[in-house]
């Protein structure tokens, strides 16, 4: 019943039912997983971590719990533990592209750049047309100082999707890594032009990569023009 309520987005009712089930069936891994899911939905990440770990204490071969635990641990910035968790997931479901992307992102965070490159390449073997994975791989090449490969990937993305913010955003990251201010601003302008839901605008403001530009008059004027 709790699972059905979750699927129907009746979260408070689902939480009440799952809490009853956890108290009644303490050895049922699915009830602990349900509790972890509820806690994760409400951003109670420490509680979610505890619940998923209890589910896995009962059933180590439960891939969804390993996957969700990796996500929660990432939110908690426990990157090494998250990496191991997603590896455990992939040991059970090796051909899952989203799991490989999470692994690559964690390896990038841990500065395991060659491992991250390998993970993103494996994900691309499963999803060769996924431009988000390609863009993430391009940043690995930037960090490995393989600028030619990175630029080739990003220009290819923009050629295929000229009215999508994604390619311009990552190309701006590419240029800012080399302190090419005008090229960065030009690509940010194109990114914002197609940014319908303001996702990239909020991201550009919040991430440290563009911090050195925030006092640049052209950069400030650009944001003012898209806020008006």
């Amino acid at each position: 019943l709790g699972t059905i309520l979750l699927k129907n987005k009746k979260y408070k009712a689902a939480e009440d039912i799952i809490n009853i089930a956890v108290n009644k069936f303490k050895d049922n891994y699915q009830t602990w997983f349900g509790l972890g899911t509820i806690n994760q939905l409400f951003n109670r990440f420490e509680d979610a971590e505890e619940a998923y770990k209890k589910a896995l204490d009962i059933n180590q071969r439960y891939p969804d719990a390993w996957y969700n635990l990796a996500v929660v641990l990432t939110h908690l910035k426990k990157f090494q533990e998250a990496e191991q968790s997603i590896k455990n997931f992939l040991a059970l479901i090796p051909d899952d592209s989203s799991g490989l992307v999470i692994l690559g992102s964690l390896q990038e965070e841990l500065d395991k750049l060659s491992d991250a490159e390998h993970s993103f390449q494996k994900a691309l073997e499963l999803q060769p047309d996924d431009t988000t994975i390609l863009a993430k791989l391009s940043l690995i090449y930037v960090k490995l100082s393989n600028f030619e490969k990175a630029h080739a990937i990003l220009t290819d993305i923009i050629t295929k999707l000229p009215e999508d913010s994604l390619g311009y955003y990552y190309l701006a990251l590419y240029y800012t890594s080399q302190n090419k201010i005008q090229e960065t601003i030009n690509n940010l302008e194109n990114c914002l032009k197609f940014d319908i839901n303001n996702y990239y605008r909020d991201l550009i403001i919040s991430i440290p990569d563009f911090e050195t530009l925030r006092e640049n008059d052209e950069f400030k004027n650009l944001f003012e023009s898209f806020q008006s």
Side-chain angles (χ1 to χ4, degrees), residues 194-210:
F194 302 113
D195 186 22
I196 298 168
N197 298 316
N198 292 330
Y199 170 79
Y200 287 100
R201 188 191 70 183
D202 295 342
L203 193 59
I204 291 162
I205 292 169
S206 64
I207 67 169
D209 301 72
F210 300 114

Side-chain angles (χ1 to χ4, degrees), residues 60-105:
Q60 291 264 317
R61 296 188 61 79
Y62 191 19
D64 290 354
W66 284 120
Y67 185 100
N68 285 14
L69 179 59
V71 173
V72 163
L73 290 168
T74 301
H75 278 291
L76 293 170
K77 300 190 184 302
K78 297 180 179 180
F79 300 122
Q80 285 186 318
E81 200 177 339
E83 181 192 21
Q84 187 55 58
S85 185
I86 204 66
K87 281 182 175 179
N88 291 342
F89 166 79
L90 289 164
L92 297 168
I93 307 179
D95 292 333
D96 186 275
S97 60
S98 64
L100 287 163
V101 169
I102 290 174
L103 178 59
S105 298

